[in-house]
Amino acid sequence: MTTVSTRRRVLAGAALAAGLFCSTAPAFAALTSPEATAYVVSADALNGAAAVPPQPLSTYPPGGTVTEIGLTVGPFATNSTLTATTAGDPAAGTSSASATVDQLGITFGPTLTAALTGVSATCEATPSGATGNGVIASGTVTVLGVPTTLQANAPVNTGVTVAGLGQLVLNEQSTDANGVLTVNAVHFTLLPALGGANVIVGHVECGGAPPAGTVPMINTKVGVIGGSLAAATVLGTAYLRRRRA
């Protein structure tokens, strides 16, 4: 018969093994599979003007690169190529996205304009988290002929107040409850007089997930029998066998 002290040692060993397994298991994101989104421009309706849906738009799955050569729609105008790319790997639980345009002009009204060059938003995600960056090489916002220079390669969530326009954020970043990172290279929030709209340039989203086929190493819900933990782990069983031998 197994003695009380032996049972205690077995249960202690089982609990230790469970703790080791739990401590080394990765903290996966809440998503069940990786995902990503990328687009270069979008805008809410501006003073009754038609809204601009995200374009060019790429999403993963299925992923791929979508390009648009030149653009004149809503407040946006450019002769440059707009490029949006997404990709992912379910086996690894990873995803990536990028949105770029070399030059872009934005007209908010007869006295408000913006000019951006070298816009790039990127992100990468793994099962343990996501990172990204949204930058411009240069940019200005002009109100009544007075320009405001925008910071190149700005730190995360750099806010800029522009009189007569509203608020803009450079390298805007946020992460939701599922671990999905959203990056906007430039995000304008216009004053109510301008429709209170949101204008975004360079948008990406990335979320990782557990690698396909991942199986938990141990069930963290341990049964209770007669007020004692059920010593059903491999470690406990092996110990009992050695004692009986």
Side-chain angles (χ1 to χ4, degrees):
M1 177 182 296
T2 305
T3 64
V4 172
S5 59
T6 299
R7 285 198 300 271
R8 288 175 178 171
R9 287 195 294 270
V10 170
L11 295 175
L16 175 60
L20 290 174
F21 284 133
C22 292
S23 64
T24 57
F28 291 132
L31 297 177
T32 57
S33 60
E35 63 180 46
T37 301
Y39 61 81
V40 180
V41 297
S42 72
D44 295 343
L46 302 171
N47 281 334
V52 178
Q55 61 186 72
L57 173 65
S58 176
T59 59
Y60 175 82
T65 297
V66 182
T67 61
E68 197 164 342
I69 301 175
L71 177 73
T72 303
V73 59
F76 306 110
T78 182
N79 292 321
S80 300
T81 299
L82 301 88
T83 305
T85 301
T86 56
D89 182 356
T94 60
S95 68
S96 62
S98 67
T100 61
V101 62
D102 287 339
Q103 294 182 334
L104 183 70
I106 309 174
T107 301
F108 300 108
T111 60
L112 303 173
T113 62
L116 307 172
T117 63
V119 178
S120 175
T122 60
C123 64
E124 294 184 350
T126 69
S128 59
T131 59
N133 202 26
V135 300
I136 60 172
S138 63
T140 58
V141 175
T142 302
V143 180
L144 295 173
V146 180
T148 297
T149 300
L150 304 180
Q151 183 177 353
N153 304 313
V156 174
N157 294 327
T158 297
V160 180
T161 299
V162 182
L165 174 65
Q167 179 79 17
L168 72 87
V169 180
L170 302 172
N171 196 12
E172 182 179 52
Q173 298 191 22
S174 62
T175 303
D176 69 13
N178 289 324
V180 177
L181 172 68
T182 296
V183 179
N184 295 314
V186 183
H187 181 187
F188 295 92
T189 304
L190 305 185
L191 292 171
L194 298 172
N198 293 295
V199 176
I200 293 173
V201 182
H203 174 98
V204 292
E205 300 174 27
C206 289
T214 297
V215 178
M217 296 177 66
I218 191 169
N219 188 346
T220 57
K221 295 181 180 179
V222 182
V224 179
I225 299 178
S228 300
L229 292 173
T233 67
V234 174
L235 179 62
T237 302
Y239 186 91
L240 287 174
R241 286 175 178 170
R242 287 198 300 272
R243 293 289 299 179
R244 290 169 182 169

